[in-house]
């Protein structure tokens, strides 16, 4: 049995940084050794849940601009898995959730930057999945519940997004963490650890600074999917740190 996890993927520079979060991700990869990874990424949006279905090596998507040139030469030559993609689609369908395949999309940085640090040899098959930020959080949770049994097959489900993701508040030169960002995260952590799902589903109305922390919901959606997919009775915070004033690095185990 392997848990599901939620990770903050941060900025594209994460793969070339050295800090407590990158050290954490490297260590986490040594502790979790799945036979495949299914990753829901905030950087792939579609109305219908879309699943990468391929056995070949993924192309790289550098879905950012204005960053150091070295980032555009990063390679993560992971292969896909038609078998795992088909299993995932079947599970969703059995629970009344529509999905479709995509046979040519590359890996975006919501997927490759965390996987690059966790599994640098790129030997574990990866299936990338889209999110729909316009669905209610209850529906996101249900997507996770539909594929909960993947953990019993040692397939790791990762939700890759962010809890505080407001680029307008990021200060690339700051070493001081903004209190409002921590207050939002601490509220979120308490509710997650207490399994207070109904309050979490309505976080935009109940959490402090919610709309400031998450102006658009695509980055928090993967957390609710990972939560639904969890096999643990009590979710657990594995890591919490910050960079650039407000950019949150949190990891939950579900």
């Amino acid at each position: 049995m392997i848990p599901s996890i939620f990770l903050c993927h941060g900025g594209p520079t994460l793969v070339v940084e050295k800090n407590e979060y990158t050290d954490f991700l490297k260590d986490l990869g040594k502790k979790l050794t799945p036979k495949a990874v299914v990753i829901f990424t905030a950087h792939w949006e579609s109305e219908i849940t879309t699943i990468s279905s391929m056995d070949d090596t993924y192309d790289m998507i550098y879905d950012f601009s204005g960053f150091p040139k070295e980032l555009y030469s990063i390679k993560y030559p992971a292969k896909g898995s038609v078998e795992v993609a088909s299993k995932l689609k079947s599970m969703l369908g059995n629970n009344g959730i529509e999905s479709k395949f995509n046979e040519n999309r590359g890996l975006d940085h919501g997927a490759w930057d965390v996987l690059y640090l966790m599994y640098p040899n790129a030997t574990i098959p990866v299936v990338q999945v889209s999110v729909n930020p316009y669905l209610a959080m209850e529906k996101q949770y249900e997507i996770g519940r539909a594929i909960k049994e993947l953990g019993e097959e040692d397939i790791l489900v990762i939700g890759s997004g962010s809890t505080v993701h407001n680029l307008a508040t990021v200060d690339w030169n700051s070493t001081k963490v903004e209190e409002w960002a921590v207050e939002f995260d601490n509220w979120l952590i308490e509710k997650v650890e207490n399994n207070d799902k109904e309050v979490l589903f309505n976080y935009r109305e109940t959490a402090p600074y919610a709309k400031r922390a998450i102006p658009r919901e695509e980055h928090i959606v993967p957390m609710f999917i990972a939560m639904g997919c969890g096999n643990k009775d009590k979710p657990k915070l594995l890591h919490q740190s910050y960079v650039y004033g407000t950019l949150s690095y949190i990891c939950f185990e579900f």
Side-chain angles (χ1 to χ4, degrees), residues 162-205:
S162 188
T163 52
V164 180
H165 188 269
N166 185 340
L167 298 183
T169 67
V170 167
D171 182 346
W172 299 103
N173 298 309
S174 177
T175 57
K176 178 182 178 294
V177 182
E178 295 292 332
E179 291 183 6
W180 66 265
V182 179
E183 187 174 343
F184 172 77
D185 272 348
N186 286 344
W187 181 93
L188 199 66
I189 291 164
E190 178 189 357
K191 303 307 178 187
V192 167
E193 290 185 329
N194 290 330
N195 257 325
D196 198 345
K197 290 188 282 291
E198 293 306 317
V199 172
L200 283 165
F201 292 156
N202 295 289
Y203 81 95
R204 289 185 79 78
E205 286 71 44

Side-chain angles (χ1 to χ4, degrees), residues 47-110:
E47 184 176 352
I48 297 172
T49 300
T50 308
I51 304 162
S52 290
S53 181
M54 57 189 292
D55 287 322
D56 296 332
T57 301
Y58 285 99
D59 292 330
M60 297 289 287
I61 299 177
Y62 304 103
D63 49 344
F64 45 84
S65 61
F67 286 90
K69 288 183 179 180
E70 63 180 314
L71 293 180
Y72 302 91
S73 63
I74 293 286
K75 301 296 181 186
Y76 189 72
K79 293 183 181 295
S81 172
V82 170
E83 178 184 357
V84 174
S86 298
K87 186 186 300 288
L88 178 62
K89 191 174 191 301
S90 178
M91 286 179 169
L92 291 169
N94 289 341
N95 286 273
I97 297 170
E98 184 181 4
S99 64
K100 62 182 181 180
F101 289 138
N102 181 296
E103 299 174 350
N104 52 36
R105 190 179 191 273
L107 287 181
D108 61 58
H109 95 261

